Amino acid sequence: QVQLVESGGGLVQAGGSLRLSCAASGTIFSINAMGWYRQAPGKQRELVALVTSGGSTNYADSVKGRFTISRDNAKNTVYLQMNSLKHEDTAVYFCNAAVRRYSGDRYRGDYWGQGTQVTVSS
C-alpha cells in the first residue's frame, strides 16, 4: 500500500496563512512528482501546485505569488505554504503523488490523500 496523509488545514481569516503537509508512506521505491489539488463545494477538482522530483514547480494562476510548494525527498513529504489567503481558497485540499513501488515499476499517479479542509473566513 501507498498512503498519503495530509495535515495542517483549518480555519483562518482572510489574509492569514496556513501550511499544509503531506507525508507519503508504505511500499515506496521512489516518488516523482507531488502536488496539491483542491475541490470547493459544487466545483471540479483543480490543480493548485505541483513540484517535480527535480524541484521544478507549477502553480495555478489563482495562487501564484501567494502559495509555495516544496518537498523533502528524504521524508517523502510535500508542503504547501499558503499566504494571503482569500475566501475563494476555501476548499478541501488533496495531496497527490506519482509513485514507483519497486524497481522496474512504472510511476503511478493515482495515489491520493484523504483531504484536509481549508476554510477562509471573509
Side-chain angles (χ1 to χ4, degrees):
Q1 292 180 293
V2 175
Q3 181 174 266
L4 304 178
V5 179
E6 303 101 333
S7 62
L11 174 65
V12 65
Q13 294 183 4
S17 298
L18 286 173
R19 183 175 175 85
L20 306 183
S21 299
C22 172
S25 62
T27 307
I28 298 173
F29 180 78
S30 62
I31 301 177
N32 195 346
M34 302 185 79
W36 289 94
Y37 294 74
R38 68 186 181 188
Q39 187 165 19
K43 296 186 177 181
Q44 295 186 2
R45 182 182 62 191
E46 64 174 346
L47 175 67
V48 176
L50 184 70
V51 58
T52 69
S53 60
S56 297
T57 59
N58 291 282
Y59 297 92
D61 289 341
S62 60
V63 307
K64 287 181 179 177
R66 300 188 297 119
F67 291 10
T68 302
I69 189 170
S70 61
R71 65 191 291 172
D72 185 337
N73 291 331
K75 296 181 178 180
N76 289 333
T77 299
V78 63
Y79 306 93
L80 186 68
Q81 179 67 46
M82 305 185 295
N83 298 325
S84 301
L85 282 162
K86 304 174 181 178
H87 182 261
E88 50 264 43
D89 294 319
T90 296
V92 178
Y93 284 70
F94 296 93
C95 176
N96 171 257
V99 176
R100 284 200 299 168
R101 296 163 295 169
Y102 52 87
S103 179
D105 190 23
R106 72 181 192 278
Y107 282 105
R108 301 179 63 184
D110 57 346
Y111 299 103
W112 296 89
Q114 81 286 352
T116 186
Q117 177 71 47
V118 172
T119 302
V120 184
S121 62
S122 58

